[in-house]
Amino acid sequence: LAPWVPVVGLEIHAQISSNSKLFSGSQVQFAAPPNSLVSFFDASLPGTLPVLNRRCVEAAVMTGLALNCSINKKSLFDRKHYFYADLPAGYQITQQRVPIAVNGSLSYSLCIDSKMSQMVTKTVRIKQIQLEQDSGKSLHDDTRSQTLVDLNRAGVGLMEVVMEPDMCCGEEAAAAVRELQLILQTLGSSQAVMAEGQLRVDANVSVHRPGEPYGVRTEVKNINSIRFLAKAVDYEIQRQIEELENGGTILNETRAFDSKLGCTVPMRDKEGKQDYRFMPEPNLPPLILYDAKSLPANMNHQQVINIDWIHERLPDLPSVKREKLVEQYGILPEHSFALLNEDGLAEFFESVVKQTQMKPKKVIGWILNHLLSYLKQYSLTVKESPISSFLLADLLNLLEKKEISSTAAKQVLAELWKGEGKTPLEIVKEQKLELLQDQKELEQICQAVIDGQENEVIMMVPG
């Protein structure tokens, strides 16, 4: 029989980087005391009305443009009903009929060999981006067998990015989400820190034989790290294949990834599709956006959002930044990925290059092979590095001028890492690591060694 074809599609919720919530003036802040950031609207008190946050709309438009989407000049808000303790209104305001952005694409690259030297670029289609509210957070206290509800997160603005099922393994899903994360961070539309729940991924996974229709899909919910995403998707593909090969059937169910056990576990089945009873949100008019052509002449610019104005101000996206690094410094494409994957590392590299005579190709080796491995070993960010770009440049200049050997340079780097405030030159002098260039001095040292070892020298004379 032909092998199985896995199909993977992702739904990603990105928390919009905004000072206040999507429809209320409450502040947005991670790890604030429970229920300290809740307005009357967030708690759904009768008579309260939503007021749309301009910053959230701009962030969604910016993200849509960066992902090559068409921006809908008219989009609509809907109510999605479900009943849960952390959703006080009994419904979530979302965009089900006409979302803010549709039909985009995201290009991402991944390595196809273990040596990280061969990159392939793939594209996943973006079905849509919609604005919606987050729900609150339920904290289950097992010892007292009760559930506590924190509404700080209720009503925080989210962008839901829906990807078409264009991927086929955990590695592809992880690479696509990592690229999306970099784009969001570059735009500033979301901080996208997964550890703080600002980027949450649901993965839809199914398998089928070539030429046959898609199989029954399962949904793995709320994956909160890129590493876990790759593992969850690959585990789920394997589980489904084994299940089908043993004559079993795949249930259309929701599963969770248990990171400790490294497997997915059933949460609830989706038999009898949940009826969300979508209806238009009566308290919000359609969201109308303009471009330069459609902008009415007498309109106050503060009152409207101009798509073209946002488009003109888009920063360089990661793909463009990588191309520029390769072009400007002659480094390898895979090195440009490594530089951009660590926050602040590309800037650090450029700063070192400016301050040193060493060729950029050699500088990158020192940064990726030595500095980055120290940072990873001690779980530090580039900004927290005890070795500044200035100190590293100083050290590489000593190496480039042949004042020290590369072995000595590694010893100096280890000393610099201790952060004792010494310069590379001071460390070299203290530890006598200089390379000797003076031939007379070298001859004197050799002669002194020979003179001090007369017996051994006699034994080595031929005859």
Side-chain angles (χ1 to χ4, degrees), residues 271-291:
E271 308 292 346
K273 189 88 172 107
Q274 193 161 357
D275 180 13
Y276 291 120
R277 289 188 301 114
F278 284 104
M279 60 175 266
E281 168 53 65
N283 296 322
L284 285 164
L287 170 58
I288 306 292
L289 306 176
Y290 297 90
D291 57 18

Side-chain angles (χ1 to χ4, degrees), residues 348-391:
F348 188 96
F349 163 72
E350 294 196 87
S351 174
V352 174
V353 170
K354 280 194 190 86
Q355 303 172 68
T356 170
Q357 288 106 43
M358 186 179 270
K359 291 233 158 55
K361 275 185 172 172
K362 281 171 76 178
V363 173
I364 194 107
W366 278 88
I367 286 180
L368 297 182
N369 299 332
H370 303 297
L371 184 78
L372 193 55
S373 60
Y374 272 124
L375 292 172
K376 289 241 168 29
Q377 197 179 328
Y378 293 94
S379 304
L380 293 178
T381 64
V382 176
K383 289 180 182 65
E384 295 164 336
S385 168
I387 302 175
S388 65
S389 60
F390 173 74
L391 284 174

Side-chain angles (χ1 to χ4, degrees), residues 69 99 101-105 125-129 161-164:
C69 293
V102 293
N103 300 336
S105 64
R125 290 168 298 152
I126 306 288
K127 185 178 183 212
Q128 64 189 56
I129 299 173
V161 180
V162 182
M163 293 182 176
E164 298 282 9

Side-chain angles (χ1 to χ4, degrees), residues 410-428:
K410 286 173 198 162
Q411 279 173 264
V412 177
L413 197 69
E415 283 298 310
L416 286 174
W417 185 260
K418 294 176 185 170
E420 290 165 358
K422 293 175 191 161
T423 67
L425 196 57
E426 285 165 357
I427 296 169
V428 167

Side-chain angles (χ1 to χ4, degrees), residues 91-109:
Y91 61 84
Q92 172 197 41
I93 302 178
T94 180
Q95 294 192 302
Q96 190 249 347
R97 293 167 297 163
V98 185
I100 194 162
V102 293
N103 300 336
S105 64
L106 168 70
S107 290
Y108 61 97
S109 295

